[in-house]
Amino acid sequence: MDGEDRSKETVGSDAVEVDWSRRSFLIGTSSVLAASAIALFESSNIAKAFSALNGLQVDSGLTKVYQQDYYYIPNQMTWRVGTPMTLHIHNLSPTHFHEMQIGRGGFQRDPNYYTDLRIQFNEDFWDGVPVTIKEEHAVDNLVTNKAIVTSIPKPGPWLITAPGNGNFSPTLRPGGSISLTFTVPNKPGIWEYGCFVQGFIHYADGMKGTINILPA
Ligand SMILES: [Cu+2]
């Protein structure tokens, strides 16, 4: 009986030891993980990625926007008034045309359509903004509206400068791309971007995003 009791005690103390060692292991491991996480967070890339996820990173210089069916990557950006930017828009869809309007203030509806078809934002971000066009490739059309287009390397029929064609927007063929170089104008606040191709289907399916423009 003594032997059995001792073995039980041994088992018991072993169990306690296992429990303690597990606890120590877990505490030790989580401390290491926490330290690693802090170290990684403090490294610029991780912090930048974290900030980007939360929309806190302020874009400057070359900023890429990818178009897909039917969304943008990213779908959230943060800009600051006075910052030089080159917005490089690239349509990754193998099959669909996509555009990128930037605006706010609700939508303008197509007066000639019998349903609630929205065709553009009420306010065009690009109104009065000097912009340089570069690296156009497979551009179906670029409506300049009231933007001040300062330079175009190879003007073609794709360039639509006549008034009355809607808000500023490049429409890219599948695989197309274009770069828009400009300085973020003094228009702080929340802006939207969106694609109104194919009778508003793209926008309605999620092809839209938000730009938070911070004051200078
Ligand atoms: Cu689209």
Side-chain angles (χ1 to χ4, degrees):
M1 292 298 282
D2 280 349
E4 279 181 12
D5 286 340
R6 278 197 202 103
S7 71
K8 277 179 188 170
E9 279 174 20
T10 307
V11 168
S13 63
D14 279 349
V16 168
E17 276 177 28
V18 167
D19 190 38
W20 271 106
S21 63
R22 268 186 196 154
R23 192 178 297 172
S24 306
F25 175 75
L26 288 173
I27 291 168
T29 305
S30 52
S31 301
V32 169
L33 287 174
S36 304
I38 290 164
L40 283 171
F41 181 74
E42 284 175 354
S43 76
S44 62
N45 285 341
I46 299 294
K48 199 173 177 181
F50 181 82
S51 298
L53 282 172
N54 289 278
L56 302 172
Q57 180 197 343
V58 178
D59 296 306
S60 63
L62 180 60
T63 301
K64 295 181 178 180
V65 175
Y66 297 100
Q67 296 166 316
Q68 269 287 15
D69 308 331
Y70 302 99
Y71 55 92
Y72 294 98
I73 305 167
N75 63 4
Q76 188 180 23
M77 291 185 273
T78 303
W79 297 356
R80 189 182 297 283
V81 170
T83 304
M85 303 268 298
T86 292
L87 195 62
H88 182 74
I89 308 168
H90 188 176
N91 182 5
L92 296 178
S93 170
T95 49
H96 285 77
F97 288 38
H98 290 297
E99 68 162 345
M100 183 174 176
Q101 292 188 25
I102 305 177
R104 64 181 174 189
F107 304 103
Q108 284 176 25
R109 293 168 169 81
D110 188 342
N112 301 315
Y113 209 70
Y114 61 90
T115 62
D116 187 22
L117 181 67
R118 300 163 186 199
I119 50 174
Q120 62 183 16
F121 296 108
N122 279 328
E123 185 182 353
D124 186 352
F125 167 81
W126 296 101
D127 279 6
V129 177
V131 54
T132 297
I133 311 298
K134 290 177 189 168
E135 302 170 324
E136 75 278 8
H137 168 70
V139 178
D140 183 71
N141 68 78
L142 171 66
V143 175
T144 58
N145 197 24
K146 295 170 189 167
I148 302 163
V149 177
T150 55
S151 173
I152 299 168
K154 292 173 285 181
W158 53 273
L159 188 65
I160 301 173
T161 54
N165 284 286
N167 287 347
F168 178 99
S169 179
T171 300
L172 305 178
R173 298 171 184 271
S177 58
I178 195 168
S179 286
L180 311 172
T181 299
F182 61 102
T183 298
V184 179
N186 189 22
K187 301 183 180 188
I190 302 295
W191 291 81
E192 292 180 80
Y193 48 107
C195 178
F196 296 81
V197 167
Q198 288 191 301
F200 196 57
I201 292 172
H202 293 203
Y203 186 98
D205 278 354
M207 195 153 188
K208 56 189 173 181
T210 304
I211 306 170
N212 182 11
I213 300 185
L214 305 173

